[in-house]
Structures are given as structure tokens and as C-alpha cells.
Amino acid sequence: MSEEKKDRELGMRCPITRRDFLNGVAIGVGGTLAGGAVGAETLLAAAALEDYSPEKAANYYPPALMGMRGNHDGTYTYAHALRDGERWNTDGPAVKTGETYDLVVVGGGISGLAAAYFYRKNAGSGARILILDNHDDFGGHAKRNEFRAGNRMVLSYGGTQSIESPGKYSEVAKSLIKEIGVDTERFYKDYDRNLYSKMGTAAFFDKETFGEDRLITGMNATAWPEFLAKAPLSDVAKQDIARVYTEKVDYLAGLSKEEKLEKLSKISYANYLTKFCKVHPEALPFFQTFPHDLYGVGIDAVPALGCFESGDDYNSFTYPGFDGLGIGEHEKEEPYIFHFPDGNASIARLLVRALIPAAMPGHSMDDVVTARADYGKLDVDGAPVRIRLNTTVMHVQHSGTSDAPKTLDIAYMRGKKLQSVQAKNCVLACYNMMIPYICPELPQKQREALSYLVKTPLVYTHVALRNWTSFAKLGVHHIVAPGGYHTYTALDFPVSIGEYSFPSKPEESMVLFMLRTPCKPGLPMRDQFRSGRMELMVTPFSKFERNVRDQLGRMLGGAGFDPVRDIEGITVNRWAHGYAYTPNTLFDPDWKEEEKPWVIGRKPFGKIAIANSDAGANAYTNEAIDQAWRAVGEILKS
């Protein structure tokens, strides 16, 4: 079959396809968006103005854009130029805007917004604060995805999913989310834990990896020998997978509990399965991608101890081989239910509401879910707090002497113009690995430490479906695909808040979550991340769309799914710089606390403090909040 014919059969020429981009913002998006989108003529007119302000356009509304989102086109142009050694002021000195602020925050994610919140709380409501971000929306990884499908708005998250285990949050983080209006106890009522209770997990074996396409339902619920009998695996692989799941054997007999934990921390899960559990290598492809969602790499690069301790938030699979070791059970976390319909984008939106009330109508965690942000109110002359989007910071430098710096000069690119503002203080809440490029006056040791923190690339693809009857027919709500382009597919989290009602009937439109982690097995973890990032940056949206349509058609076609008829929208949240770097005992030394790269990297420098979850080596919202609190505390103390 020709590629052109195959594309027609997949619906690649359906009008919902998003291929036209201008300055990173989709155009020509048609009528499937909630609230419209920025038109090409609007952006061209804005760009021609002396004051480049696309956010002021009446229809500027990034959450409703489809196509390539996340690190979308236009967000990394100038950052990559800095990375590649180009001077930030090649076209001459920055034009001074004349603005002076008490605090400038670089990065409008949750950590940056929290830093502004903490500073204002301590310095007073009259403090002048400017937040700068290179994306077209605030929130960092906590992005909101809106779709118009089936004559209704359906929501999902572009990145940060949930408030993970809020009972373990620090008092600082607990207080912040409470102050902005979040009551985590509400989710025990708002999250429907019964909707999928009779729907299970399926495994999709693809022909490219396993020789033939086959979807098998009943994973984890059917006896393993019975389940695996249907799988396109060799007999020895089937036998060993069933054995390691069902037998209770101490594969590390003769070692103490402490020695076992140490051993598991120094060997990969792949090596543990083959060398200690004696699983045949032909069985490894079944397990290979299990850790992708949490670690961004496969079982070749994840410590066996990490697999034992982490498990799977989605309850789609389990890691075998630990039941007989006598090292205890996997610690039970709080239920994975603390989830707004748009993920932690609602946390970001509530922070914006606290900082700039006019930009986010409403008064509660209920109404923030359906509120339409007014982006034209984010950067208003004279306002005490301003958020300036579509702005890439290029240089942060102290003025005055090195011993007694007076202020900071902060230069940025906006609308292809280099401009600068002055600030008394600055919190760098951006990707920490970019800080050495925008702040070269930092000590060499600190710059090297920051450069060590290679972030995890990953893709959160969301697909708006006409209905989810195919999943209901199969009796599954998520599918693991060990060899698939997207290795995990699931119906969205069933949560209803305020006026937003989750599509709980199979006949209703639904958002589907699909995960891709572009790792390269066999390389050290940081090299896998670098390689995966390069792949993401050169992959066009059309390739993602083609793979989405093809994979869903192959997985669900037997249940009546038609990618031409049933797909109403696709948003690819590409995070070339995704999760914060987290230490890995297979590749990283056993640093002392003061030697850890993120601890060295986050040291304050003059009037500059450093935040972001990178500074805590932990890719969670509470870490982003805690690091913001620390950074602001360092500024106030100085």
C-alpha cells in the first residue's frame, strides 16, 4: 500500500490536522477549538507593531491550541542559539524599557509563580514583580489542554498530572495550595473511583517488535499462563514471565536485607531479571518499557530497587521478582486521585488568580476549572505583578561592583527585539541547565553542576475521541504497548469539579492519554536523554499524528474504532526538557549532600536565587514549591 493511500485511510487529511504554525502558535485551526485561536492576520499585525503584544489579541487563548504544544516552536530558538555559542547581543545592546522591579522571576511555571507569591506575601502587595516566560502560556509543565468535541468542552493536562501524595507535602507546600483555595480532601468525592472498576488492562503486541499485531485483554486479572498463552512470544519467554510472576523465591538468598537493598540499587532491573531471576532474554521486551512514564528510560537503565519501590501509579502493571526476597512490601502511597481535570494547570491558574485577579475570573477551586483566562490582563502597565509571555531571557547580570552589586540587568528577546529591565532581585525558576548560558558570571564550579542536570524528554499526547465505546466493548481503560510508538494509552482521569462534568458514558466524547518516551536503550541515562531530545526536536507533528492514528487503529480496530471517524482532535505535548533530573544509582556517584550537583547549582549568587524542581532533583509540584520558598527566603535574608 502506498504511503499516500495509507494516510488517507488513517484520516491524515481530516480538517482537524494542525500543521500550520507561526511563531509557535497554530493557525487555521478551524472550529474544533473551545473559544477560538489566534489568527494569522492578528499575529502578523501584532508583530508589525512597535509594542509586540500578541497576548492582547481578543482570541489569544493557548489552552485551546492543538498540534505541537509543550516546548512548541518558537520557545527554544534563542535558547538554542545561546547553547550553540552565539552572543546574546549580536545585533547590538538591549533597548532599555525603563522598567524597574523589586523582583524579576525567570520562568512562569509553578515554581516561578510560587516564588512571586511568596515574595509578595513577605514584601507586601505593593512589591513590583515581573515574571518572564518563553512559552505562549503560563504554567511551565503544568499546561492546560482544551478540546471542543461532541458539542462540549473536554479538558486534559499538557504535562504535570496530579498533586502526588499531598499528605507528604511539606508544611510550606501544604499551606500554599490551601491558601490559593485547594482542598485535597475534595478529590475523594470528585474523583470517580468506580467508573473504571470493572474495566482492566490490555497489552498490545505490535508486529514490528513481536512479529504480529495482537491485543490481549485481562492483563493482571487473568492467570499469567492463560494470559500469556495468547501472546506472540516464544515458549521460553512465556514460561519465564509466568514463572517470575507466580513463584515466591528468594533470588538473593544468603544476603541480609541491607545487602539485598544495596545489591538491588546497583543493578538494573533487566540484569536482575536475567542474572538472578534467570529469566530468558527473549522475555525482556515484554518488560522493557514499564518504567518509561516514571523514569523516562527502560529496564536497562533503571535500578531494580527503583522498580520495587516505585510500582506504577496507574495500576496497569506490576514488577515481578520481589515477593520472595523478604525485604518488605512496596510502600503504599496515597491513592492517585488528587487530580484536576486539567491536571496541575489548575494550580498554576489559582496562583495567577492570587497574583493577578483580573486575569483569572472566579473565587474557588471549582470555578477555576471552567474559567477562561484573560491573557490580555497578564502584562498591564502599572500593575504590581505582571506576567510577560513569549519572552526568552538571554542575559542576567549584576550592575555595580562584584563586591557590592546594586541591581540586576535582565535582557530578553520579545518579538525579535532585544530589550532589558532592571531588578533589585531575581529568581531563576527556569530550566537549571540553561542558567549557565544566561548567567555566565556564576562560578565555574556552579555552572558545571547546573549543566549536569539533563532533563528527561517525554511526550504527552492527548487525543479527543468522538466516544469511547471501543474501550467499553473491550472492557479496558488502559493499554500497555511494550513495543509501541506510544507505550501507554489510557482513558483520562474521571474527575468532575464544579460545573465540569467528566464524560462518564461511553457514548460521550473523551480525551485519551498516550505516552511516548524517546529513549535509546543501551546508553547511560543522561546520554539516552540527550539522544531522545534530539529525536523530539526533529520530529514533525505529522509523524506524531500518523503514529497516533495508526496505533489506535491497530489496537482498537477490532472493537469498531475508526481513526478517520472517531478522532476529533490531537495535541502533542512535546517536552524535550521534561522531568527534572533525578539521581540514578546505576550511573551517579554516591555524593555527599554538599557535593550533589543540584545543591551546588542552587547556591545564591549576589541578588540571584535559583528555584525550579531541578534545584531539588525531584520532578514534583511540591518540590517546585519548596524550592521557590527556599529561593525567596535567600533573597529576603540577603
Side-chain angles (χ1 to χ4, degrees):
M1 181 185 298
S2 69
E3 184 172 321
E4 183 177 353
K5 182 178 180 181
K6 177 67 173 177
D7 283 354
R8 284 199 302 271
E9 291 186 356
L10 292 174
M12 285 291 289
R13 288 168 177 75
C14 288
I16 64 109
T17 305
R18 312 287 175 248
R19 296 191 181 88
D20 298 315
F21 292 87
L22 179 66
N23 294 330
V25 182
I27 62 175
V29 291
T32 61
L33 301 183
V38 185
E41 67 284 351
T42 303
L43 283 179
L44 288 170
L49 295 175
E50 188 70 13
D51 180 18
Y52 171 76
S53 300
E55 306 86 0
K56 303 293 184 183
N59 289 328
Y60 185 92
Y61 196 65
L65 295 175
M66 291 187 270
M68 194 72 82
R69 302 295 296 150
N71 298 133
H72 57 76
D73 294 347
T75 61
Y76 49 84
T77 305
Y78 300 111
H80 283 185
L82 280 179
R83 177 203 64 189
D84 295 339
E86 294 185 23
R87 292 179 62 242
W88 62 276
N89 55 353
T90 303
D91 296 328
V95 176
K96 296 182 178 180
T97 66
E99 298 167 278
T100 300
Y101 294 91
D102 297 301
L103 175 70
V104 168
V105 180
V106 180
I110 285 180
S111 198
L113 295 170
Y117 179 90
F118 288 135
Y119 186 87
R120 188 166 182 257
K121 183 178 179 180
N122 284 275
S125 59
R128 287 178 49 77
I129 301 171
L130 174 65
I131 302 170
L132 302 170
D133 197 273
N134 57 325
H135 291 82
D136 60 12
D137 202 355
F138 56 79
H141 292 134
K143 284 289 192 291
R144 176 180 172 101
N145 289 168
E146 288 188 16
F147 295 92
R148 177 63 59 175
N151 297 318
R152 58 160 293 170
M153 179 178 70
V154 284
L155 297 175
S156 198
Y157 47 92
T160 314
Q161 288 181 350
S162 301
I163 305 170
E164 176 92 3
S165 301
K168 295 184 178 180
Y169 272 29
S170 68
E171 290 305 314
V172 167
K174 286 179 181 177
S175 296
L176 173 66
I177 63 173
K178 183 177 180 180
E179 288 171 15
I180 62 176
V182 178
D183 175 10
T184 56
E185 292 298 308
R186 281 277 309 278
F187 292 101
Y188 284 97
K189 175 179 67 71
D190 295 336
Y191 191 104
D192 186 351
R193 286 195 275 180
N194 295 317
L195 182 62
Y196 301 145
S197 61
K198 296 182 180 179
M199 302 174 72
T201 305
F204 175 66
F205 298 88
D206 63 291
K207 61 185 178 183
E208 293 83 358
T209 307
F210 298 98
E212 62 178 287
D213 285 345
R214 190 176 297 180
L215 182 78
I216 307 175
T217 61
M219 182 173 168
N220 306 316
T222 306
W224 281 103
E226 180 183 346
F227 174 80
L228 292 167
K230 306 173 186 176
L233 298 168
S234 67
D235 288 341
V236 67
K238 294 177 184 179
Q239 291 167 5
D240 279 356
I241 294 171
R243 173 179 59 80
V244 78
Y245 264 117
T246 55
E247 69 181 5
K248 192 173 184 179
V249 172
D250 186 352
Y251 299 112
L252 299 176
L255 300 181
S256 68
K257 177 179 178 180
E258 291 70 25
E259 290 171 334
K260 289 176 180 178
L261 295 174
E262 176 67 15
K263 173 69 73 174
L264 293 173
S265 72
K266 297 300 183 182
I267 58 174
S268 70
Y269 185 59
N271 282 340
Y272 175 66
L273 288 175
T274 55
K275 293 183 179 180
F276 294 90
C277 304
K278 305 302 180 183
V279 170
H280 195 281
E282 290 181 10
L284 294 187
F286 177 72
F287 302 104
Q288 174 62 27
T289 62
F290 279 12
H292 275 200
D293 178 61
L294 189 60
Y295 290 95
V297 286
I299 60 173
D300 61 298
V302 175
L305 184 62
C307 294
F308 166 73
E309 292 179 337
S310 62
D312 173 43
D313 285 332
Y314 308 137
N315 294 316
S316 60
F317 64 83
T318 56
Y319 291 104
F322 302 112
D323 289 347
L325 296 185
I327 57 175
E329 296 183 357
H330 167 59
E331 182 182 355
K332 300 296 183 183
E333 300 284 346
E334 295 172 72
Y336 200 64
I337 62 171
F338 305 100
H339 179 89
F340 281 95
D342 58 358
N344 284 4
S346 277
I347 301 291
R349 286 156 66 86
L350 287 166
L351 281 166
V352 169
R353 176 182 285 171
L355 295 167
I356 311 173
M360 188 65 63
H363 304 88
S364 69
M365 67 180 281
D366 294 84
D367 58 34
V368 78
V369 173
T370 50
R372 181 183 172 90
D374 186 345
Y375 288 82
K377 300 288 179 59
L378 292 177
D379 191 7
V380 176
D381 290 342
V385 181
R386 303 171 70 169
I387 299 175
R388 191 163 296 165
L389 302 174
N390 301 297
T391 301
T392 301
V393 171
M394 304 295 289
H395 198 66
V396 177
Q397 185 172 16
H398 289 94
S399 59
T401 65
S402 58
D403 294 331
K406 303 285 193 242
T407 59
L408 291 155
D409 292 320
I410 299 169
Y412 57 80
M413 290 293 297
R414 177 169 167 82
K416 298 184 179 181
K417 293 183 179 180
L418 185 63
Q419 300 175 314
S420 70
V421 298
Q422 282 194 322
K424 296 178 182 178
N425 303 284
C426 179
V427 170
L428 297 176
C430 52
Y431 300 158
N432 280 194
M433 62 184 294
M434 275 304 302
I435 291 175
Y437 299 102
I438 65 176
C439 193
E441 64 177 337
L442 290 176
Q444 177 66 20
K445 182 178 180 180
Q446 187 171 4
R447 285 187 282 130
E448 290 175 355
L450 288 163
S451 298
Y452 190 90
L453 307 177
V454 182
K455 295 171 78 73
T456 307
L458 71 162
V459 177
Y460 279 11
T461 297
H462 284 107
V463 184
L465 301 181
R466 185 173 63 94
N467 58 57
W468 49 286
T469 56
S470 55
F471 285 85
K473 290 177 182 178
L474 292 168
V476 302
H477 68 97
H478 47 195
I479 303 171
V480 295
Y485 189 79
H486 290 85
T487 57
Y488 176 75
T489 299
L491 299 174
D492 214 346
F493 297 104
V495 59
S496 300
I497 294 182
E499 295 183 0
Y500 184 80
S501 179
F502 186 79
S504 58
K505 298 178 181 179
E507 296 75 27
E508 295 180 300
S509 298
M510 168 72 83
V511 179
L512 196 63
F513 167 58
M514 303 182 76
L515 169 77
R516 174 166 176 76
T517 304
C519 52
K520 302 296 180 184
L523 297 175
M525 185 174 71
R526 292 194 303 149
D527 289 340
Q528 291 202 42
F529 292 165
R530 294 187 180 101
S531 179
R533 176 175 305 119
M534 291 177 63
E535 176 190 318
L536 287 187
M537 299 311 294
V538 299
T539 302
F541 173 72
S542 58
K543 182 173 180 178
F544 283 106
E545 180 185 8
R546 184 176 294 109
N547 279 289
V548 165
R549 293 178 176 277
D550 178 62
Q551 185 170 345
L552 290 179
R554 290 161 64 182
M555 292 194 306
L556 303 170
F561 182 87
D562 181 347
V564 178
R565 180 193 64 214
D566 293 330
I567 293 177
E568 298 204 4
I570 300 174
T571 298
V572 176
N573 297 283
R574 172 184 61 188
W575 298 111
H577 302 273
Y579 295 153
Y581 183 81
T582 303
N584 186 320
T585 53
L586 297 182
F587 306 104
D588 295 322
D590 187 15
W591 294 293
K592 295 178 180 178
E593 181 65 22
E594 67 275 11
E595 297 172 342
K596 293 176 179 177
W598 53 96
V599 174
I600 297 171
R602 72 190 182 207
K603 289 182 177 179
F605 181 75
K607 294 179 175 291
I608 298 170
I610 295 173
N612 195 298
S613 61
D614 293 349
N618 192 0
Y620 291 94
T621 293
N622 57 311
E623 191 69 48
I625 295 170
D626 288 342
Q627 294 302 323
W629 170 262
R630 175 197 49 75
V632 169
E634 290 169 350
I635 283 177
L636 294 173
K637 183 178 179 180
S638 67

